[in-house]
Amino acid sequence: MKLLFGNKKDDLLSRLRKQDPAAQKLFYEQNVKKLLSVSKSYISDLYQAEDCLIKAFCKIFKHIEGFRGDGNLEGWARRIVVNECLNFIKSRKTVFYLDEINQSFIEENHDENVVYDFNAQELLDQLPDAYKMVFNLYVLEGYSHQEIAETLQISTAVSKTQLFRAKEKLRKIYFQQQKTLKNEHY
């Protein structure tokens, strides 16, 4: 693809602020795959994830003047995608956050014959929405528990509990898959 605007991201940003369709197309093409991946990490259904992404791009282009330039444009766009996904989940589903930590721990399998082959997205897709949102915000987006609590309107204790449970559930799912794979090979 030939460069329409040279190597300067500032030039692309200034054209985006002028609502230049060519600049919007270029920004879209440069970021759609990464941002779809972000959307899919929150929303398992591909069509719903794509819908959220389209809405997010519309907001990005409509509110580009709101980008102050403090960070990078891609990071700002990513945050809009995350917020769009969270809004979608909040509006479409009832998400329950449980305050109490279940103290049952999973016995870890230290079998040397375990094959470490897995698809992280498939594992994440098996998490309940509440676990997935907190896990993604903490692990993928780098939010603190305080930021998660403010974003999701929950307490920091609930955020920590959901993260703990998400990790526990992921471990359980992973080891169950490994056990199944091991049984298939023997």
Side-chain angles (χ1 to χ4, degrees), residues 5-177:
F5 313 117
N7 291 328
K8 297 182 181 179
K9 286 189 177 190
D10 291 338
D11 191 28
L12 176 61
L13 179 58
S14 67
R15 291 181 182 256
L16 286 171
R17 287 188 168 143
K18 293 175 185 171
Q19 301 297 312
D20 180 347
Q24 291 173 338
K25 181 180 181 200
L26 180 62
F27 182 80
Y28 175 86
E29 289 171 349
Q30 288 176 343
N31 294 284
V32 69
K33 288 181 182 178
K34 288 183 281 189
L35 295 178
L36 180 58
S37 177
V38 170
S39 186
K40 285 175 28 182
S41 72
Y42 288 89
I43 301 169
S44 302
D45 182 86
L46 177 61
Y47 297 111
Q48 292 174 340
E50 288 172 340
D51 284 347
C52 285
L53 183 61
I54 290 167
K55 289 178 186 174
F57 269 111
C58 290
K59 286 182 180 180
I60 290 164
F61 296 142
K62 183 177 181 181
H63 300 288
I64 192 71
E65 288 298 324
F67 176 65
R68 296 185 305 261
D70 296 338
N72 79 19
L73 182 59
E74 290 80 11
W76 180 78
R78 180 183 178 102
R79 195 163 192 119
I80 290 173
V81 171
V82 168
N83 288 334
E84 189 62 38
C85 291
L86 294 175
N87 290 337
F88 171 81
I89 292 167
K90 288 177 190 176
S91 72
R92 301 275 196 248
K93 298 180 180 183
T94 304
V95 179
F96 296 101
Y97 297 96
L98 305 174
D99 284 325
E100 187 179 312
I101 292 181
N102 180 351
Q103 293 298 330
S104 66
F105 289 92
I106 300 166
E107 291 183 22
E108 293 193 26
N109 185 347
H110 295 291
D111 189 346
E112 294 173 9
N113 296 322
V114 173
V115 178
Y116 294 100
D117 183 24
F118 64 94
N119 180 316
Q121 187 62 52
E122 286 177 11
L123 290 176
L124 288 173
D125 287 346
Q126 295 181 54
L127 287 177
D129 287 336
Y131 294 1
K132 187 190 306 189
M133 282 191 295
V134 172
F135 182 86
N136 286 345
L137 289 171
Y138 188 84
V139 175
L140 302 179
E141 306 303 328
Y143 282 35
S144 69
H145 284 293
Q146 182 63 40
E147 291 171 316
I148 294 169
E150 291 168 6
T151 301
L152 300 178
Q153 299 173 347
I154 58 176
S155 71
T156 55
V158 170
S159 176
K160 290 176 183 180
T161 300
Q162 296 301 305
L163 179 62
F164 172 82
R165 288 183 177 168
K167 289 177 179 179
E168 186 176 280
K169 180 108 174 135
L170 286 171
R171 232 184 337 270
K172 185 177 181 179
I173 294 167
Y174 173 76
F175 284 120
Q176 182 60 44
Q177 286 179 351

